[in-house]
């Protein structure tokens, strides 16, 4: 879902349940991960803006507000339409983002 807030376009990603519905230890871990993710700042990583634990707008479930990404996903790209240079730029961006995550002790699954 895409939304405007304060003149900016964001993506809203809804959880399937509220954080408070998880067991205590899982809630603690989810909140820790979300806080840590909000501190990340790298051009290859979508920035988490804010977490709404009790829902947002019409959603009743926990909602994560992130930067809006106008670019298509890798899966949607037609690799045959990309030049070798474009493929190298994409590969470098992915490697740079993964390196940044690993330096911050974050493992991407």
């Amino acid at each position: 879902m895409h939304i405007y807030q304060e003149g900016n376009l964001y993506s809203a990603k809804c959880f399937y349940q509220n954080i408070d519905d998880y067991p205590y230890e899982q809630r603690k871990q989810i909140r820790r991960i979300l806080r840590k993710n909000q501190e990340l700042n790298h051009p290859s990583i979508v920035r988490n803006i804010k977490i709404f634990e009790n829902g947002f707008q019409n959603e009743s479930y926990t909602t994560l507000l992130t930067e809006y990404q106008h670019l298509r996903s890798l899966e949607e790209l037609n690799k045959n339409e990309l030049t070798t240079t474009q493929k190298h730029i994409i590969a470098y961006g992915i490697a740079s983002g993964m390196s940044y995550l690993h330096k911050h002790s974050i493992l991407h699954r």
Side-chain angles (χ1 to χ4, degrees):
M1 163 180 19
H2 300 105
I3 56 165
Y4 280 100
Q5 185 178 14
E6 300 171 5
N8 295 312
L9 183 60
Y10 298 101
S11 291
K13 300 176 190 227
C14 300
F15 286 46
Y16 291 108
Q17 66 188 63
N18 283 321
I19 288 177
D20 288 337
D21 295 336
Y22 289 93
Y24 174 75
E25 286 301 318
Q26 277 186 297
R27 283 195 312 263
K28 203 165 94 172
Q29 183 178 12
I30 290 169
R31 287 183 176 117
R32 182 182 54 79
I33 290 168
L34 290 171
R35 275 194 307 276
K36 189 169 188 173
N37 287 351
Q38 278 185 291
E39 297 170 2
L40 298 176
N41 186 15
H42 188 278
S44 296
I45 298 172
V46 176
R47 190 161 164 79
N48 291 345
I49 306 299
K50 188 169 183 175
I51 184 80
F52 297 92
E53 290 193 21
N54 298 312
F56 179 75
Q57 291 185 348
N58 298 329
E59 296 295 330
S60 58
Y61 295 121
T62 298
T63 305
L64 178 63
L65 202 63
T66 68
E67 286 179 309
Y68 172 74
Q69 293 299 305
H70 65 282
L71 303 173
R72 295 182 292 173
S73 71
L74 281 178
E75 189 174 42
E76 294 172 330
L77 286 175
N78 182 347
K79 275 76 169 181
N80 296 327
E81 293 178 3
L82 296 174
T83 66
T84 300
T85 300
Q86 289 171 319
K87 290 176 184 177
H88 287 155
I89 291 168
I90 290 169
Y92 177 82
I94 293 168
S96 175
M98 293 298 290
S99 175
Y100 177 85
L101 290 175
H102 294 169
K103 286 178 184 172
H104 287 82
S105 302
I106 296 173
L107 177 66
H108 183 279
R109 300 187 214 185

